[in-house]
Amino acid sequence: MQANVSAARAAFFPRITLTALGGVSSNQFSQLFDGGNGTWMFSPQISLPIFDGGARQSNHELQTWRRTESLAQYEKAIQAAFREVNDALSNTHWLKQRLELSTADRVQQQERARVAKSRFQAGSTPYQDVLEAQRDQLQVEQALIQARGAWISSRINLYAALGGGSALLANTVSTSVSPTAH
């Protein structure tokens, strides 16, 4: 873009063209290479931009505006990229916290189910308490799986926002942890 603006600015300056031509001429072929038969021509030409109806000025302004527009679009693209990265980072952070809370809930529900089963085996609670504890544990496990999936997706989105390719995508998907792992 800067080259176009410079070219438009250069159109305001005079142009100088130099043409030179040299050779040999003679009326008769036998005297062609005799002395004094040389012919030379030198013609300088100067072109001055005096009046062109404002075309040069308009072209210069057009190129300047195009450069300004290109810079604005470039800045807008950079701001959008920073916004995408920031959003992806905050989303990943929030989902990581959600994953940690879901993991803690799972540990609590596993302990609750274990205690309910021990109480039932000791004869102090009905089997319905065991079933309720296991149902709650299953719901927490499902929430944990959803939290892991969302967190992995957020990591992929972050990598994409940073301009990454498919290498991390394959690595991220292959390192996903099973629902029962801690």
Side-chain angles (χ1 to χ4, degrees), residues 32 35 79 87 125 137-138 164:
L32 183 62
Q79 289 172 354
D87 291 347
T125 60
Q137 181 183 0
L138 179 61

Side-chain angles (χ1 to χ4, degrees), residues 45-106:
Q45 181 181 7
I46 297 178
S47 170
L48 296 173
I50 296 175
F51 180 72
D52 59 0
R56 293 174 205 262
Q57 181 65 32
S58 296
N59 186 34
H60 181 261
E61 290 174 5
L62 174 68
Q63 296 304 328
T64 303
W65 280 108
R66 282 183 180 167
R67 182 187 67 194
T68 304
E69 180 183 16
S70 294
L71 287 173
Q73 288 175 352
Y74 180 70
E75 289 173 1
K76 184 178 177 182
I78 289 174
Q79 289 172 354
F82 276 118
R83 187 173 33 258
E84 286 177 15
V85 169
N86 187 37
D87 291 347
L89 278 171
S90 65
N91 194 30
T92 300
H93 178 71
W94 180 79
L95 289 170
K96 179 68 174 176
Q97 290 176 343
R98 182 177 151 205
L99 180 63
E100 290 169 356
L101 289 173
S102 293
T103 303
D105 284 348
R106 183 184 75 191

